[in-house]
Amino acid sequence: MTELKYISGFGNECASEDPRCPGALPEGQNNPQVCPYNLYAEQLSGSAFTCPRSTNKRSWLYRILPSVCHKPFEFIDQGHITHNWDEVNPDPNQLRWKPFEIPKASQKKVDFVNGLHTLCGAGDIRSNNGLAIHVFLCNTSMENRCFYNSDGDLLIVPQKGKLLIYTEFGKMLVQPNEICVIQRGMRFSIDVFEETRGYILEVYGVHFELPDLGPIGANGLANPRDFLIPVAWYEDRQVPGGYTVINKHQGKLFAARQDVSPFNVVAWHGNYTPYKYNLENFMVINSVAFDHADPSIFTVLTAKSVRPGVAIADFVIFPPRWGVADKTFRPPYYHRNCMSEFMGLIKGRYEAKQGGFLPGGGSLHSPMTPHGPDADCFEKASKVKLAPERIADGTMAFMFESSLNMAVTKWGLKTSNCLDENYYKCWEPLKSHFTPNSRNPAETN
């Protein structure tokens, strides 16, 4: 595969044209009477026209045919995609899933769209407020099919298998330990090369941003220059009546036929684009004295709500790092939280639960549901001699955290057959160490 090229920078105003058509971008205006190469000008808006300049998102696309050239959309089976948060009764228990099973290509071919399964979510699509968490389980590439989401942005986290993603802005190769964001309305198609699995965080009505750094200062966490945007690439390909455009609209799927590939954009400019990011580039901030800093220091991207400091969703990672805190229980502490916390594992072993929490699985701890390290982790971390140590080498865990109270779907609780019914047992061996006659237990550290 030819190495792909990218433009660097989060949220930048960018311009790109396919080198096969130099000068395809109009000079000095967006919508000339006749575009270079007789292309069509089309604007893609990701915000209201009147948003403040700092939050206004739009791009101009110069394409062989405009995207309006398709037959009418018709309703199609939506498989395991849903936004019905009342399918089953809510469950306040700690929930953990074994690795989600990928269908075998030898038994049934399943592409990215057919392999989407909604696990949990909250809010309302029509009022542009909420989120959903999906997993994708697929084994074949999308052939003469593309997808776009009218409901929100998609943050895609591949866990097994790389994704070659064709977009209207160009191509991206996204591998495990990388993420990508396909923003609302952008058409894309995905090629896979093996049985493939991953996670998706979908947010309605808002876009992902870099978190504010506050007292951290100007640098740290995910640096803007490490986000990569595809460069223009087009195909002038005829598919008479045979190309399918799939749209998710108000949580339902619709399909329309057209005669040409939708990836016919010769040039584009703007700040509303897809992008990808390598999680290895995250600059970790952590405690170097004692106690824990809050896990918000590991936030890569945030989708803000209207309440200051409260997110519809945060994407948080737990990458390899040094642990040096003195006189401190170093693993995650026991916790009850006003947020919903969905965790997934891309690779390796998560320090607080090295047994049942496996790559390709997940867990959900709902608001005020207690959670924390299992009994084995607690006993070892309470007795170990503290010294500087590497944590999470070869591991990448992540969290989708939300201020909304998420409901789990019927597929997540029942149909998937991946729910770990014995999750609660990891805390049963915890025992009392209470010493009522001794305030200062013997020093073990």
Side-chain angles (χ1 to χ4, degrees):
M1 182 187 300
T2 304
E3 185 175 355
L4 301 181
K5 296 181 179 180
Y6 301 92
I7 302 169
S8 169
F10 185 88
N12 285 355
E13 282 283 341
C14 299
S16 182
E17 54 189 29
D18 192 305
R20 290 172 289 177
C21 295
L25 282 170
E27 295 183 8
Q29 66 179 119
N30 295 320
N31 190 25
Q33 184 179 22
V34 179
C35 292
Y37 296 96
N38 285 309
L39 297 170
Y40 287 87
E42 178 179 284
Q43 184 175 203
L44 178 62
S45 295
S47 64
F49 294 145
T50 51
C51 276
R53 185 181 288 267
S54 61
T55 58
N56 210 300
K57 295 181 178 293
R58 59 86 186 92
S59 288
W60 281 90
L61 312 178
Y62 301 92
R63 55 196 320 151
I64 297 169
L65 278 174
S67 57
V68 73
C69 295
H70 61 77
K71 301 296 184 184
F73 280 100
E74 298 179 355
F75 177 78
I76 61 172
D77 178 47
Q78 64 192 79
H80 294 288
I81 297 173
T82 185
H83 67 294
N84 178 4
W85 311 130
D86 297 309
E87 288 182 317
V88 290
N89 288 329
D91 190 337
N93 288 298
Q94 302 93 347
L95 301 176
R96 183 168 71 187
W97 289 270
K98 301 170 186 177
F100 297 101
E101 187 173 343
I102 309 170
K104 300 292 184 184
S106 58
Q107 297 174 350
K108 182 181 180 181
K109 290 195 173 186
V110 179
D111 69 13
F112 174 82
V113 175
N114 292 336
L116 287 171
H117 299 72
T118 307
L119 190 61
C120 55
D124 179 60
I125 288 177
R126 291 182 178 136
S127 63
N128 285 330
N129 179 52
L131 79 163
I133 293 173
H134 316 273
V135 294
F136 61 91
L137 309 164
C138 56
N139 55 39
T140 194
S141 299
M142 295 173 67
E143 295 184 5
N144 290 329
R145 282 157 57 94
C146 74
F147 179 73
Y148 75 99
N149 185 14
S150 295
D151 298 330
D153 288 8
L154 301 175
L155 189 160
I156 300 173
V157 184
Q159 184 272 319
K160 182 181 185 298
K162 61 187 177 183
L163 311 176
L164 179 59
I165 305 179
Y166 298 81
T167 80
E168 295 171 276
F169 295 79
K171 295 182 285 186
M172 299 186 293
L173 182 66
V174 185
Q175 306 187 64
N177 224 42
E178 295 182 316
I179 61 166
C180 72
V181 172
I182 310 292
Q183 302 197 74
R184 187 179 183 184
M186 297 176 180
R187 299 182 178 194
F188 66 97
S189 181
I190 293 182
D191 282 358
V192 300
F193 307 90
E194 59 180 299
E195 292 169 358
T196 302
R197 174 172 57 206
Y199 312 84
I200 298 176
L201 172 58
E202 177 186 12
V203 293
Y204 311 146
V206 291
H207 298 296
F208 290 103
E209 307 173 36
L210 293 177
D212 296 325
L213 295 180
I216 293 173
N219 305 290
L221 309 188
N223 291 309
R225 71 169 184 163
D226 293 325
F227 288 82
L228 301 179
I229 300 163
V231 297
W233 171 86
Y234 76 90
E235 58 178 7
D236 185 9
R237 184 162 66 90
Q238 300 293 315
V239 191
Y243 201 100
T244 302
V245 177
I246 302 170
N247 174 217
K248 187 167 85 69
H249 173 73
Q250 296 187 20
K252 307 292 185 181
L253 293 187
F254 300 83
R257 292 279 191 168
Q258 62 183 51
D259 296 334
V260 298
S261 164
F263 307 119
N264 60 1
V265 177
V266 179
W268 60 265
H269 77 85
N271 64 354
Y272 191 53
T273 67
Y275 54 88
K276 74 168 195 168
Y277 175 75
N278 189 328
L279 301 180
E280 291 183 1
N281 291 328
F282 188 80
M283 197 279 255
V284 179
I285 303 288
N286 211 346
S287 170
V288 293
F290 58 86
D291 283 349
H292 288 255
D294 293 322
S296 48
I297 60 171
F298 299 115
T299 302
V300 180
L301 292 169
T302 185
K304 296 177 180 178
S305 75
V306 295
R307 290 180 289 165
V310 180
I312 294 292
D314 286 331
F315 173 60
V316 180
I317 64 173
F318 302 97
R321 58 201 183 275
W322 281 97
V324 298
D326 293 325
K327 300 179 181 179
T328 298
F329 181 80
R330 290 180 178 173
Y333 43 78
Y334 294 103
H335 191 202
R336 289 181 295 162
N337 190 358
C338 62
M339 310 289 273
S340 298
E341 299 180 3
F342 174 86
M343 286 197 63
L345 188 60
I346 298 171
K347 61 179 181 177
R349 298 194 303 172
Y350 182 57
E351 58 179 313
K353 298 182 181 70
Q354 297 197 7
F357 184 55
L358 300 173
S363 67
L364 176 66
H365 300 129
S366 295
M368 298 307 169
T369 293
H371 53 281
D374 61 24
D376 184 57
C377 175
F378 178 82
E379 294 298 330
K380 289 179 180 178
S382 299
K383 299 173 182 176
V384 69
K385 182 177 180 180
L386 294 181
E389 62 176 333
R390 289 290 294 172
I391 298 172
D393 274 341
T395 294
M396 185 62 75
F398 70 88
M399 179 166 64
F400 298 150
E401 183 176 66
S402 176
S403 61
L404 303 182
N405 198 335
M406 291 191 282
V408 184
T409 63
K410 182 179 179 181
W411 182 85
L413 287 177
K414 298 178 181 179
T415 314
S416 70
N417 292 319
C418 291
L419 192 67
D420 183 353
E421 302 288 354
N422 296 317
Y423 183 27
Y424 71 97
K425 293 181 179 180
C426 75
W427 293 291
E428 286 191 335
L430 287 168
K431 57 186 178 182
S432 172
H433 295 278
F434 182 46
T435 55
N437 298 317
S438 174
R439 181 181 181 277
N440 298 309
E443 289 288 334
T444 58
N445 297 339

